[in-house]
Amino acid sequence: MLRSVLRRLPVDPYIAALLGTVLLAAVLPATGGGAQVADDAANTAVGLLFFLYGSRLSTREAMDGLRHWRLHLTVLAATFVVFPLLGLAARGLVPYVLSPALYPGFLFLCLLPSTIQSSIAFTSIARGNVAAAICAGSFSSIVGIVLTPLLAAGLIGGSASISGHAVTGIALQLLAPFLAGQLLRRWTAPFLTRHRKALGLVDRGSILLVVYSAFSAGMAEGIWHQVPVGRLLELLAAEAVLLTLMLTATSRGARVLGFSREDRITIVFAGSKKSLASGLPMATVLFGAHAGLAVLPLMLFHQMQLMVCAVIAKRWAGRPDTPVRSADERPGDLPEPDLPGRDSPGYGGPAPELPGRTAAAGPGQRPAASGGRER
């Protein structure tokens, strides 16, 4: 009965769980010894999460994906060049739209790697290049483990506790478990395949733990007293503009570069998103006690990108494979991204992403739903 009720909600159940976790941290924050226990549990869960991801990523898939090097370079450029430039340009919004306290978190959001599972799921729904989406998200996450802290050191500076110790901490927490998963994949992959649904709880639960720990720390520093409702609305407006610009840039840029329709779909979904799973543990290490305020822009952007991209994916999925084109339109041109409204189909977003491969839907088949959270 509960599952039936949740399906009818306009908001995805996992997004509701994320918001509920924030509310729990606001009402019952972890303090004192409990805060240390919550931090240790979150760190352990994140390490396990990246170990599972390393175990699931096939080395053969990664090697096959290297053949699409132009696509991957385009996604990486959107993620680590265009996004950061827009983040730097947003400095002009301070203090009129973005408060000085929120801007470091907004810029940090722009420095993060792309997602994995939601990019795959949306690409599959829109009938894009799923194999390329798997590799694009994977490469972005791996590069981001090293590049994001370096970019944060150069662009955020004193607002984050950037040091050699911080970078080493991120490598130990994220990269080391991932490499261990790759090394042990021969033995762990069959087990993970058999228990995929059960392990989804680890994926979702790890993010909920990190959210609870970060926002508990935020309650201790009075995060909600620092950000009035008006500032939150202004932050949402700035992030809506950021997402619109990235969706438009990836769509038109991929068209100018001459990619096929399937590849352009992949570039739009992989190049316009940011990873909650990578961003939360990085923020905890880089911002320390101020992580709660720093991850607030990421939390809001995460919900927005899921809802907007769900609408776009479903609209593109409904278009014929060979649409009628004007005389001056090149074959396979993608329509411009559609922004969602209350009357849009699928408003409310898909289930957040899980690590693992999402199979592309065949003709006449309904794509498999994504049941976890984003990377």
Side-chain angles (χ1 to χ4, degrees):
M1 183 180 298
L2 178 61
R3 188 174 299 175
S4 176
V5 171
L6 290 175
R7 287 197 187 112
R8 296 177 184 175
L9 291 176
V11 178
D12 182 87
Y14 188 67
I15 294 178
L18 284 169
L19 298 177
T21 302
V22 173
L23 180 61
L24 177 63
V27 177
L28 295 173
T31 57
Q36 185 60 48
V37 172
D39 288 342
D40 292 342
N43 292 335
T44 301
V46 168
L48 178 59
L49 182 68
F50 275 77
F51 173 80
L52 294 176
Y53 171 58
S55 297
R56 291 172 179 176
L57 178 63
S58 169
T59 304
R60 185 181 65 182
E61 288 175 351
M63 296 305 297
D64 289 342
L66 289 175
R67 298 170 184 167
H68 298 280
W69 61 270
R70 288 182 64 246
L71 182 148
H72 301 315
L73 287 179
T74 302
V75 172
L76 290 175
T79 303
F80 296 113
V81 178
V82 181
F83 251 120
L85 289 176
L86 291 176
L88 291 174
R91 176 68 183 174
L93 301 177
V94 180
Y96 312 104
V97 176
L98 296 174
S99 68
L102 285 175
Y103 176 70
F106 186 90
L107 180 56
F108 174 70
L109 153 71
C110 295
L111 307 181
L112 290 172
S114 178
T115 64
I116 297 176
Q117 186 63 20
S118 67
S119 297
I120 297 169
F122 293 139
T123 299
S124 176
I125 292 171
R127 294 176 296 176
N129 189 337
V130 177
I134 294 172
C135 296
S138 303
F139 295 155
S140 179
S141 294
I142 295 170
V143 170
I145 292 175
V146 177
L147 190 56
T148 295
L150 296 177
L151 288 173
L155 301 180
I156 301 178
S159 299
S161 303
I162 308 294
S163 64
H165 175 72
V167 175
T168 302
I170 290 174
L172 290 176
Q173 188 176 15
L174 305 182
L175 184 59
F178 173 83
L179 294 177
Q182 280 281 286
L183 292 174
L184 299 176
R185 188 179 185 278
R186 176 181 178 183
W187 298 278
T188 58
F191 175 82
L192 298 179
T193 301
R194 292 194 302 268
H195 301 86
R196 183 181 298 272
K197 291 184 178 180
L199 291 171
L201 297 175
V202 177
D203 301 322
R204 294 187 289 268
S206 63
I207 294 301
L208 295 179
L209 278 172
V210 174
V211 169
Y212 178 74
S213 175
F215 274 86
S216 291
M219 289 303 299
E221 63 176 291
I223 180 176
W224 300 116
H225 298 291
Q226 301 177 36
V227 187
V229 175
R231 281 297 189 183
L232 282 177
L233 294 178
E234 292 169 348
L235 174 61
L236 280 172
E239 292 189 335
V241 172
L242 175 66
L243 181 58
T244 301
L245 289 174
M246 287 307 304
L247 287 169
T248 303
T250 51
S251 177
R252 293 186 176 179
R255 181 183 303 171
V256 170
L257 292 173
F259 285 99
S260 66
R261 181 183 190 276
E262 291 76 13
D263 286 348
R264 289 201 301 275
I265 290 173
T266 301
I267 291 170
V268 168
F269 289 126
S272 63
K273 293 196 193 59
K274 290 297 180 177
S275 172
L276 181 70
S278 297
L280 287 175
M282 286 185 185
T284 302
V285 176
L286 297 178
F287 291 92
H290 302 286
L293 191 61
V295 301
L296 184 59
L298 174 59
M299 290 281 294
L300 296 177
F301 190 81
H302 172 69
Q303 323 303 339
M304 186 183 299
Q305 71 184 11
L306 290 178
M307 292 187 289
V308 172
C309 290
V311 175
I312 294 174
K314 289 183 179 180
R315 288 187 177 181
W316 285 354
R319 296 179 185 269
D321 290 327
T322 55
V324 177
R325 305 180 186 91
S326 60
D328 59 344
E329 187 177 8
R330 291 199 303 271
D333 277 349
L334 281 174
E336 294 302 318
D338 296 308
L339 296 181
R342 286 289 177 183
D343 58 344
S344 301
Y347 184 85
E353 56 188 339
L354 282 174
R357 182 168 183 167
T358 302
Q365 294 179 340
R366 184 178 181 180
S370 169
R373 57 105 199 95
E374 64 98 66
R375 288 189 185 279

